[in-house]
Amino acid sequence: MTGLTALLIGLTQLACPPDVGQIKWSGLTHDFSAKGARYSVQATVWDRDRNGKVSAGDLVRLEGAQRKGEDLGVSDAWFTVGGALAKALNRRRIKAGGGLQADCESHFTVDKVPRLKTNGQLAKRLNAWGGVVRQSPSEQAEAAMDGWAASLCGEGRHLEQTELANRLAAKAAHQFKGLSARRRKGLAHTVSKRWAMQCAHLKVPPKLTFE
C-alpha cells in the first residue's frame, strides 16, 4: 500500500483499481467563516463516486474542529458533502497538492449521516456537536448590560434603579441597534432591578451612643 500511496500522490488524475475501491484523502483542512465565527476543521474524505475529486455524495469524517481558535472536542463525526461545501473542499484538496495523503480503500457504508452543502450548515453542525450555545440578540444584550451594571455599581456611587436602567438602555441603543427601543428598555429594567441592591451605595450615619 505504501508504493500505491506514493504512486497516487504523484498522479495528476487520481484513480483506484476497480478491485481495490475508492480514494481516501487524509489530512484535508478547511478554514471558513460562518455564523459569526471563524472555524477550522481537519478531515478525511472518501471519494464515493470515484471521480478523482471531492464532489457531491463523498463521505467525510471530521478528525478535529476549532471555533475562534478554541477546540470544539469534535472527532469521529461523519457527514456527506454536496453543493458549495463539496466545491470548497475540492479546492482545498487541489491547493494541498502533494501535501495531502491519498490511499486506496475498499468501499464501506456509514448509515444515517447528514448531508451538508454549505459552510453555514457545517458551522451549525459543529456548534451542535461541540455543545456551543449561540445566544440570541436579546440574550447578548442582557449579558452585556449585566457587565455594564457591574462596572457602574462598582464605582461606589449610589445609583437609583431608574437612573441605572436609563444608562443601560442608552448604552444599548448604540451597541444593539437591531433590537427595538421597547425591547432594550425592557431588558434594561430587568437588569437594573437585579442590580438594585448592589447599586444602593447608601451612606450609613455614624452609630449614636448614649451615656
Side-chain angles (χ1 to χ4, degrees):
M1 183 62 72
T2 302
L4 180 58
T5 297
L7 176 62
L8 287 170
I9 294 175
L11 293 175
T12 302
Q13 181 64 38
L14 301 181
C16 281
D19 59 336
V20 176
Q22 59 193 333
I23 301 170
K24 179 184 78 173
W25 291 290
S26 303
L28 184 66
T29 62
H30 179 44
D31 302 315
F32 64 97
S33 295
K35 302 294 182 182
R38 185 71 177 169
Y39 295 84
S40 180
V41 298
Q42 301 78 49
T44 300
V45 182
W46 283 266
D47 186 19
R48 304 299 258 177
D49 57 6
R50 299 177 59 202
N51 66 352
K53 62 182 180 180
V54 183
S55 56
D58 284 351
L59 183 66
V60 180
R61 182 181 68 203
L62 288 182
E63 311 297 350
Q66 298 77 42
R67 179 180 183 273
K68 295 183 178 179
E70 296 185 4
D71 191 78
L72 288 171
V74 176
S75 62
D76 201 29
W78 298 79
F79 62 92
T80 59
V81 291
L85 182 56
K87 293 178 181 178
L89 291 180
N90 192 55
R91 287 194 295 269
R92 296 287 182 176
R93 178 193 66 84
I94 295 171
K95 187 175 180 179
L100 199 64
Q101 181 176 329
D103 298 280
C104 280
E105 282 195 354
S106 58
H107 188 84
F108 62 93
T109 59
V110 180
D111 297 326
K112 297 180 180 180
V113 296
R115 173 167 290 198
L116 307 180
K117 299 181 179 180
T118 65
N119 284 333
Q121 290 178 355
L122 175 56
K124 184 176 181 179
R125 284 284 177 172
L126 288 173
N127 290 342
W129 287 328
V132 176
V133 179
R134 184 172 175 80
Q135 291 182 315
S136 68
S138 290
E139 290 171 331
Q140 293 176 30
E142 186 172 353
M145 287 185 192
D146 264 318
W148 301 336
S151 178
L152 289 169
C153 295
E155 294 176 356
R157 187 169 65 85
H158 173 68
L159 277 178
E160 293 286 351
Q161 182 178 330
T162 300
E163 182 181 358
L164 176 60
N166 289 339
R167 289 196 180 194
L168 295 177
K171 192 172 179 65
H174 295 287
Q175 298 196 27
F176 296 96
K177 296 179 180 179
L179 294 176
S180 67
R182 181 178 180 181
R183 182 58 178 156
R184 292 194 300 265
K185 289 180 180 179
L187 291 171
H189 174 75
T190 298
V191 173
S192 64
K193 185 176 181 181
R194 188 156 59 231
W195 283 87
M197 291 299 295
Q198 290 92 324
C199 280
H201 296 290
L202 299 176
K203 291 185 178 180
V204 180
K207 184 177 180 182
L208 299 177
T209 58
F210 298 91
E211 296 183 357

